[in-house]
Amino acid sequence: MASSPAFLADSRRFLFFTGKGGVGKTSLACASAVALARVGKSVLLVSTDPASNVAQVFGQVVGHEITPITGVAGLAAIEIDPQAAAAAYREKIIGPVRGLLPDAEIAAITEQLSGSCTTEVASFNEFTDLLADDSLTGAYDHIVFDTAPTGHTIRLLQLPGAWTSFLDAGQGDASCLGPMAGLDKARRTYAAALARLADPALTRLVLVARAQHSALTEAARTAGELSRVGISRQHLVLNALLPDPGPTGDPLAVAIHQREAACLADLPTALNLLPRTLIHMRPAAILGVGALKDLLTETAPRACASPVLPPMPRSLPGMDTLVDELVAADHGLILCMGKGGVGKSTIAAAIAVALAECGKQVHLSTTDPAARLDDVLAGTADAHLEVSRIDPQAATTAYREKVLATKGAALDDAGRARLREDLLSPCTEEVAVFREFSHLVSQARRQFVVIDTAPTGHTLLLLDATGSYHRDIVRNLGATKGVATPLMRLQDPALTKVVLVTLPEATPVQEASDLQDDLARAGITPWGWVVNQSLAATSTTDPLLAARAGAEAPHLDRVRELAARLAVVPLLASPPTGVTGLHSVIPQPV
């Protein structure tokens, strides 16, 4: 395997690919599995990606059973459906008590088991046997996993103790403790699986990212988190890099290449220490065994790109269409939501600035821990625009200390350790910042409030289902009968407009669709969608970029099916910072 990338050299038995949605984990996992099989190894490819397209990549049905891959001797694959796994996991826990507990309690338990942590634990539950049971996988030389558990999930599964009794005693809290119910029975299997995950002689983790500031920051955070739980054998892959277009190339292509080069020259310390592989952008989606074979070659594909530009998708509405509708009112709450790295801060800032320039009084706030909003605004000043920031770290620290001092006071050392780990979950942060978020929600009755990131539907329902926070809000407001709580205001379409932000790629669109379903459970319907960083919305003449633009068509069509309103923002040559940059996000009237 001399010509293979470094992460396949001296390959370990277990190979995990991880990274945020849309960075190319599935393509790289499939290509690696094919590469290993081509040198005579027997390989099992396992996908737990919620937007898994392994079947599409290979052009055949895969599904929930181990299936041989046609045309690749020695390769088989299985797709674990995370949602189905989570549903089965919930039923296993709730089924025995259904009919014994009141419906309200069943609803509360169900919601507690409906978060992303439950889905991840349930998926891990599904492939634990593939990791730990040699009677199932002993026939394979290598097992390649498309997506890996996060450091938080691994830490939870490493903890000793009986989680079920911990919950039954009412000692948990409204965050991610739900997934731990019933895990004690599987502790030995988990221990064996986790030991293999952390064994550098058996396991290598491939961290996949794009050469973009936000993606690299998140990748560095993941690398550090996994190192802390003992997964130290890591390899960085920077995927979909644009080859040098030359000084006379298309301006957009030149700008993208320069931005990526700057990112590579200034990698976060946690990533700079890792061995790395660079993979160049391909002109088309990676489909079929032939494309998978080529993906891991070192040759830049620019010469292979077709000079014939594909037809652009039909007319794409811009952000100005959304702002024109928003500005017709004089107040309201606008929530920009979506996964990390899709550009929520930019979209929120652009909306806020546009409304302020129309003479509306606007309060723009963020819960972004990286304070990205400061960079986007770049000193923008407007008498109609107030800017604030909710500090998630400070809010979460205070919340953890309060819970440990109250619910944790009566626990033994093991119980406090479980509670501390539960309070490190992503859901805890959402719960903690909700107090400050609630204050902003009340302001939206008098002015525009634009918020970059907001509580998910799961968090809102969890808070409402337990009743404790809902009652606290009512009591703190000195409310009487008929008061509107924050959840009620978020459910009011006349007041609240939820804007889902995504990218024109399969996984980000699927993640946004899942978020829309999550909000629907809380009685909240997104007002509109924004597809950010679209090549299809540019006028690029670069053959490689134009080919990629054409590949966005099915994802844009999918968003049209899901969205009540749609706006598409082009991939910009210059970062959208300051007034001028934000004007490029929302076209100004001529």
Side-chain angles (χ1 to χ4, degrees):
M1 298 186 64
S3 61
S4 296
F7 60 84
L8 288 182
D10 188 26
S11 189
R12 300 304 189 254
R13 182 159 189 250
F14 301 104
L15 194 62
F16 279 85
F17 288 83
T18 191
K20 77 179 191 69
V23 295
K25 296 186 300 293
T26 297
S27 296
L28 287 166
C30 291
S32 298
V34 168
L36 291 168
R38 290 181 67 206
V39 295
K41 303 293 184 180
S42 57
V43 184
L44 177 62
L45 173 64
V46 182
S47 177
T48 59
D49 191 329
S52 178
N53 61 343
V54 168
Q56 182 183 8
V57 169
F58 286 107
Q60 69 172 83
V61 175
V62 176
H64 199 61
E65 301 292 334
I66 294 177
T67 305
I69 297 299
T70 303
V72 186
L75 176 60
I78 180 173
E79 289 181 315
I80 295 173
D81 182 344
Q83 298 305 321
Y89 185 78
R90 283 192 293 272
E91 182 57 29
K92 182 178 179 181
I93 294 171
I94 297 170
V97 296
R98 187 177 284 112
L100 301 177
L101 296 177
D103 290 345
E105 288 191 38
I106 294 295
I109 295 171
T110 300
E111 187 53 46
Q112 191 171 27
L113 292 168
S114 296
S116 59
C117 291
T118 295
T119 302
E120 191 173 21
V121 170
S123 296
F124 190 63
N125 207 25
E126 288 282 302
F127 69 67
T128 292
D129 288 343
L130 300 175
L131 195 61
D133 192 343
D134 288 333
S135 68
L136 296 176
T137 60
Y140 298 99
D141 299 312
H142 299 284
I143 304 176
V144 179
F145 290 91
D146 172 21
T147 70
T150 65
H152 167 65
T153 295
I154 292 169
R155 286 196 307 273
L156 284 171
L157 298 176
Q158 284 175 330
L159 289 172
W163 285 102
T164 301
S165 61
F166 184 61
L167 285 168
D168 289 344
Q171 297 165 327
D173 202 71
S175 59
C176 284
L177 203 55
M180 298 304 98
L183 286 187
D184 193 50
K185 296 177 182 178
R187 272 193 298 156
R188 291 182 183 177
T189 305
Y190 278 122
L194 293 169
R196 290 190 167 187
L197 263 178
D199 185 349
L202 286 174
T203 298
R204 174 173 289 142
L205 186 134
V206 180
L207 191 60
V208 186
R210 296 281 182 89
Q212 300 165 352
H213 176 74
S214 60
L216 292 172
T217 299
E218 186 169 334
R221 188 162 52 245
T222 299
E225 187 179 51
L226 291 170
S227 292
R228 287 191 291 275
V229 295
I231 302 179
S232 57
R233 178 76 65 165
Q234 300 179 27
H235 189 105
L236 175 65
V237 173
L238 293 166
N239 193 31
L241 294 169
L242 185 67
D244 189 351
T248 60
D250 173 66
L252 179 60
V254 171
I256 292 173
H257 178 70
Q258 290 175 345
R259 284 209 301 264
E260 291 181 343
C263 286
L264 293 178
D266 189 29
L267 286 175
T269 302
L271 301 182
N272 203 32
L273 298 173
L274 299 178
R276 78 185 70 131
T277 296
L278 308 183
I279 304 290
H280 285 100
M281 180 184 289
R282 264 47 183 182
I286 308 301
L287 300 175
V289 174
L292 292 169
K293 291 177 183 176
D294 293 339
L295 180 59
L296 300 184
T297 63
E298 298 179 3
T299 304
R302 180 164 297 283
C304 303
S306 171
V308 179
L309 304 185
M312 291 295 103
R314 62 183 183 270
S315 179
L316 300 173
M319 282 289 295
D320 53 327
T321 61
L322 297 188
V323 172
D324 287 346
E325 191 170 348
L326 290 170
V327 80
D330 60 2
H331 71 280
L333 178 66
I334 302 166
L335 303 179
C336 293
M337 303 180 68
K339 290 290 187 177
V342 297
K344 295 186 299 295
S345 297
T346 298
I347 300 304
I351 291 173
V353 168
L355 290 172
E357 289 179 339
C358 291
K360 304 296 182 179
Q361 199 62 40
V362 183
H363 184 157
L364 171 63
S365 187
T366 182
T367 58
D368 179 6
R372 171 87 177 114
L373 203 56
D374 298 338
D375 298 333
V376 172
L377 289 170
T380 299
D382 190 303
H384 293 95
L385 178 62
E386 176 187 1
V387 180
S388 68
R389 177 174 178 264
I390 296 173
D391 185 341
Q393 185 173 358
T396 305
T397 298
Y399 180 74
R400 287 182 186 130
E401 290 175 352
K402 179 181 178 181
V403 172
L404 286 169
T406 54
K407 298 198 175 197
L411 301 179
D412 58 19
D413 289 345
R416 285 178 65 84
R418 290 191 292 267
L419 183 56
R420 269 195 206 93
E421 182 55 45
D422 173 55
L423 291 170
L424 291 175
S425 77
C427 294
T428 297
E429 182 176 296
E430 284 193 288
V431 173
V433 302
F434 192 71
R435 290 180 183 270
E436 296 178 62
F437 173 82
S438 300
H439 177 66
L440 291 173
V441 171
S442 67
Q443 291 183 25
R445 292 173 295 166
R446 303 181 298 276
Q447 64 179 105
F448 278 106
V449 175
V450 182
I451 301 180
D452 166 27
T453 69
T456 63
H458 167 63
T459 298
L460 293 168
L461 275 177
L462 193 58
L463 291 166
D464 198 51
T466 60
S468 60
Y469 201 85
H470 185 92
R471 288 192 298 272
D472 282 346
I473 291 172
V474 173
R475 186 162 50 247
N476 291 339
L477 290 174
T480 57
K481 183 178 180 180
V483 69
T485 65
L487 178 57
M488 295 175 189
R489 292 195 176 116
L490 295 177
Q491 293 169 331
D492 179 3
L495 177 71
T496 299
K497 307 288 191 295
V498 172
V499 177
L500 297 185
V501 185
T502 188
L503 301 176
E505 301 168 8
T507 301
V509 169
Q510 182 59 52
E511 289 173 339
S513 175
D514 292 342
L515 178 54
Q516 180 160 278
D517 293 341
D518 185 28
L519 291 168
R521 295 205 321 275
I524 299 170
T525 301
W527 179 76
W529 284 49
V530 173
V531 177
N532 196 23
Q533 300 177 20
S534 169
L535 283 166
T538 70
S539 56
T540 181
T541 58
D542 181 83
L544 186 53
L545 293 183
R548 297 293 301 182
E552 292 179 6
H555 310 307
L556 292 170
D557 287 342
R558 173 64 175 150
V559 173
R560 285 190 182 93
E561 296 173 359
L562 295 166
R565 294 167 183 81
L566 167 65
V568 181
V569 177
L571 181 63
L572 301 170
S574 299
T577 58
V579 172
T580 302
L582 293 173
H583 283 174
S584 63
V585 175
I586 302 181
Q588 300 299 293
V590 179

